[in-house]
Amino acid sequence: MVIRTFNCTQQELYTVCRLGWQSCSQHLTGFFDFKAKYDANLITIRLAEVEAASKLPDEQARGSISETFRIQLTKLAADCLSNWQKLKRYIADAFPPEFQKTKLEAAGQSYYHKAGNDDWEACRALLTSSYSFIIDNEAILSNNQNMPGTFPDIFQTAKQEFEIKHQDFLDSEEKGLQNTETKSLANNEIHKTLMPMFLDGQEIFKDEDALKKQFIFDQVLNLASGTGTAGIRGTITDAGTNAPIPNATINIESINKSTTTDEEGKYIITQVAAGKYKVIFTAETYQEKSILQEVKVGTISTANQQLVKI
């Protein structure tokens, strides 16, 4: 696991880096006189590194891929469990009562409960055991027009679809972990290259406090956070009547900031760092709604929303 080297959100880091290198560009002569390595090309490279790091998939983007596979797996598992219940009925007619328990166990019954609770490994084990049971006992199960001749192929097709999707899910989880590490390393690297420039800037402008503040991380972070000014505001209304919805809840998920609407359906959340956020809108008797909202440095962005009655 990569340990974060900066004490702020990654969106705040990107903004601090951009502002820092832009300040360096604005005072390039002073930096060049101090160290000749500072030139327009270096700044272009550093800003490109910041942009590259910011465009790597974040946790929400990475998680959405796995979540899509999880939803698909749930449906495929339900189909497979439905097939197993059919097999259970075929076993009930094919074997005498005294053999029922033994035959069901051979068909993987011990995995059924866990498989029904999204335990994908248990589901795979259930499908493997039950399909082997079908093949080994196909003649007995099919006797007296009991199990249809098409059932083994139907069962196998559902089994294969589940197994393929399960592997896709496992691969996405592994890739997500790899991408997390890649983004964390990229974030640490742009922080690592920023800090020496900031220290040089503090030395260059040590006698000019106003300029020196442009190269102190916490000072720039305070600007990036837009303390007291940056945030979102808006009005929440009923999608059917356009009437304002009081006491609706607005939550900025990743930073756990929230508020509620007033009697006119209005809200405002301030002191939000520049960046893109998932904002969730909820109200009693209404369907939940979420959006991706951008907050810019020092500005209050507008996010009006209409909610649909349940």
Side-chain angles (χ1 to χ4, degrees), residues 271-283:
Q271 297 185 349
V272 179
K276 291 184 179 179
Y277 299 93
K278 181 181 180 182
V279 184
I280 302 173
F281 303 87
T282 56

Side-chain angles (χ1 to χ4, degrees), residues 195-207:
M195 295 311 295
M197 184 273 286
F198 268 5
L199 292 175
D200 288 344
Q202 292 169 35
E203 179 62 28
I204 295 167
F205 301 109
K206 62 184 178 183
D207 298 323

Side-chain angles (χ1 to χ4, degrees), residues 36-83:
K37 71 176 183 178
Y38 289 108
D39 57 20
N41 184 58
L42 175 66
I43 294 173
T44 298
I45 292 172
R46 293 292 179 256
L47 286 172
E49 291 170 347
V50 175
E51 293 308 311
S54 70
K55 289 178 180 178
L56 290 172
D58 59 17
E59 183 176 356
Q60 182 178 340
R62 295 190 300 268
S64 67
I65 298 174
S66 292
E67 184 60 24
T68 297
F69 286 138
R70 185 185 296 277
I71 292 170
Q72 294 170 339
L73 268 175
T74 300
K75 182 181 183 306
L76 292 172
D79 293 341
C80 290
L81 293 177
S82 177
N83 286 336

Side-chain angles (χ1 to χ4, degrees), residues 45-195:
I45 292 172
R46 293 292 179 256
L47 286 172
E49 291 170 347
V50 175
E51 293 308 311
S54 70
K55 289 178 180 178
L56 290 172
D58 59 17
E59 183 176 356
Q60 182 178 340
R62 295 190 300 268
S64 67
I65 298 174
S66 292
E67 184 60 24
T68 297
F69 286 138
R70 185 185 296 277
I71 292 170
Q72 294 170 339
L73 268 175
T74 300
K75 182 181 183 306
L76 292 172
D79 293 341
C80 290
L81 293 177
S82 177
N83 286 336
W84 192 88
Q85 285 294 337
K86 293 176 182 178
L87 173 61
K88 182 178 179 180
R89 296 306 309 148
Y90 299 145
I91 291 173
D93 282 357
F95 297 95
E98 61 269 26
F99 294 112
Q100 296 290 310
K101 183 175 183 296
T102 300
K103 298 303 180 181
L104 288 172
E105 288 175 351
Q109 185 177 44
S110 62
Y111 300 112
Y112 185 86
H113 179 70
K114 288 184 177 179
N117 286 281
D118 294 343
D119 185 327
W120 310 130
E121 295 297 338
C123 193
R124 290 190 75 152
L126 173 72
L127 295 174
T128 299
S129 297
S130 51
Y131 184 67
S132 294
F133 182 87
I134 291 171
I135 298 304
D136 292 343
N137 297 274
E138 186 172 359
I140 298 174
L141 291 167
S142 302
N143 194 32
N144 295 323
Q145 297 182 326
N146 182 30
M147 184 181 75
T150 57
F151 184 73
D153 287 341
I154 292 172
F155 195 98
Q156 183 185 35
T157 297
K159 172 178 177 290
Q160 290 175 339
E161 288 177 350
F162 176 85
E163 290 171 343
I164 290 171
K165 193 62 64 177
H166 184 225
Q167 190 59 52
D168 288 341
F169 172 76
L170 294 176
D171 291 345
S172 72
E173 290 280 282
E174 179 64 27
K175 188 174 182 180
L177 292 174
Q178 294 171 355
N179 288 342
T180 296
E181 183 168 326
T182 299
K183 191 171 181 71
S184 296
L185 288 170
N187 289 342
N188 284 349
E189 186 62 26
I190 62 175
H191 177 252
K192 177 183 176 181
T193 57
L194 177 74
M195 295 311 295

